[in-house]
Amino acid sequence: MEFLPVFLNIKGRKCVVVGGGDIARRKAVMLVEAGGIVDIITGHKAEKFSEFGQHEQITLIEQNFNADHLKGAVLAVAATDDPVVNRAVSKLANDLEIPINVVDQPDLSSF
């Protein structure tokens, strides 16, 4: 077995989603529904997330991803269309021992 199926309790804990598209939005919603406190990191103005502006479980950070964004996170998702950014998120998360999912790239993912 390559992966161990597990359930994570993320209630009240910081999760990071990197990306500004539909997939990133779906991942963020899923994490919020599980009780996570979600930082969405997007390098551009993200209209898809405008309704989250007043949501207490979501912080929209419109800047390029950097290592500081993962501080205190218990889980990360990379959902960008930029393979360089996805690899950087994966490497940093792995270095920090944070579970990482890189959408559609299981070789860069730990879950």
Side-chain angles (χ1 to χ4, degrees), residues 10-33:
I10 61 168
K11 191 172 213 151
R13 301 182 80 193
K14 179 181 173 179
C15 302
V16 174
V17 175
V18 182
D22 291 331
I23 295 171
R25 184 185 186 292
R26 283 195 308 269
K27 296 289 187 175
V29 168
M30 179 183 63
L31 293 169
V32 166
E33 288 174 351

Side-chain angles (χ1 to χ4, degrees), residues 67-78:
D68 290 338
H69 292 131
L70 292 180
K71 285 185 182 173
V74 298
L75 183 141
V77 175

Side-chain angles (χ1 to χ4, degrees), residues 11-94:
K11 191 172 213 151
R13 301 182 80 193
K14 179 181 173 179
C15 302
V16 174
V17 175
V18 182
D22 291 331
I23 295 171
R25 184 185 186 292
R26 283 195 308 269
K27 296 289 187 175
V29 168
M30 179 183 63
L31 293 169
V32 166
E33 288 174 351
I37 307 298
V38 180
D39 285 359
I40 301 170
I41 314 301
T42 178
H44 53 81
K45 192 86 170 143
E47 296 300 320
K48 292 180 186 337
F49 301 107
S50 61
E51 79 272 16
F52 295 151
Q54 301 302 316
H55 199 289
E56 64 187 35
Q57 284 178 257
I58 296 175
T59 302
L60 181 61
I61 302 170
E62 294 175 331
Q63 56 186 235
N64 292 328
F65 172 77
N66 67 64
D68 290 338
H69 292 131
L70 292 180
K71 285 185 182 173
V74 298
L75 183 141
V77 175
T80 78
D81 58 2
D82 185 335
V84 173
V85 173
N86 287 343
R87 269 192 289 284
V89 177
S90 175
K91 180 175 179 355
L92 286 167
N94 280 306

